[in-house]
Amino acid sequence: MKYETMPKDHEAAVRTLAMPKDTNGLGDIFGGWIMSHADMAGAIIAFRRAGGRVVTVAVNEFVFASPVYVGDVVSFYTDIARIGNTSISIDVTVFSQRSDGEHETCVKVATAQMTYVRVGANRRPVPIAK
Ligand SMILES: CC(C)(COP(=O)(O)OP(=O)(O)OC[C@H]1O[C@@H](n2cnc3c(N)ncnc32)[C@H](O)[C@@H]1OP(=O)(O)O)[C@@H](O)C(=O)NCCC(=O)NCCS
């Protein structure tokens, strides 16, 4: 499930602060930084559900809906979209919270779906327990 508003009953897999070092030439946060954190967020839930080592096999979808600014608190929410034989797809929804000291706003900035494969010690696919 990709969330429309920041879920209150669900903990973010990753929450972090957007810093000046993460900006592009325009001064906004660059997409690769968001993608990297989305991959980490997805991997956390994939590892837990798959019961061990996973690798990212595909970014099925990545949509940047709104820019992220320096100083935003960025939260990555995850949900299992599909469990296959050896693969697991995770929906990631990203929200940015920004404040001017008096007012806080929350913006949905990106959605993604990533697929991970459960692998064994030889790095080859292993079935995920149902
Ligand atoms: C992940 C990896 C082990 C899969 O090996 P493979 O020989 O393609 O294995 P399979 O063909 O058996 O596919 C395994 C699963 O991945 C899925 N898969 C493979 N390619 C996919 C793709 N492009 N998109 C979505 N799913 C894909 C298959 O559908 C299968 O899922 P299922 O078992 O649930 O049906 C191999 O591709 C790999 O090591 N990739 C590099 C992973 C990595 O290093 N990631 C970090 C990024 S640097």
Side-chain angles (χ1 to χ4, degrees), residues 55-58 60 82 84-88 115 117 119 123-125:
V55 290
T56 312
V57 73
N60 306 103
R82 181 197 64 89
N85 180 33
T86 66
S87 68
I88 178 166
T115 298
V117 175
V119 293
R123 300 177 192 272
R124 294 303 303 154

Side-chain angles (χ1 to χ4, degrees), residues 14-22 29 33 37 68-76 97:
V14 171
R15 177 166 289 158
T16 187
L17 181 65
M19 302 287 279
K21 66 179 173 51
D22 307 315
I29 298 302
W33 181 84
H37 285 80
V68 174
Y69 303 131
V70 170
D72 284 2
V73 175
V74 189
S75 300
F76 297 77
Q97 290 167 284

Side-chain angles (χ1 to χ4, degrees), residues 34 62-68 94 107-111:
I34 298 168
F62 217 109
V63 178
F64 298 97
S66 200
V68 174
V94 189
V107 180
K108 183 162 121 176
V109 291
T111 55

Side-chain angles (χ1 to χ4, degrees), residues 7-30:
K8 296 192 174 15
D9 56 347
H10 194 128
E11 201 177 307
V14 171
R15 177 166 289 158
T16 187
L17 181 65
M19 302 287 279
K21 66 179 173 51
D22 307 315
T23 55
N24 60 23
L26 297 171
D28 295 337
I29 298 302
F30 81 100

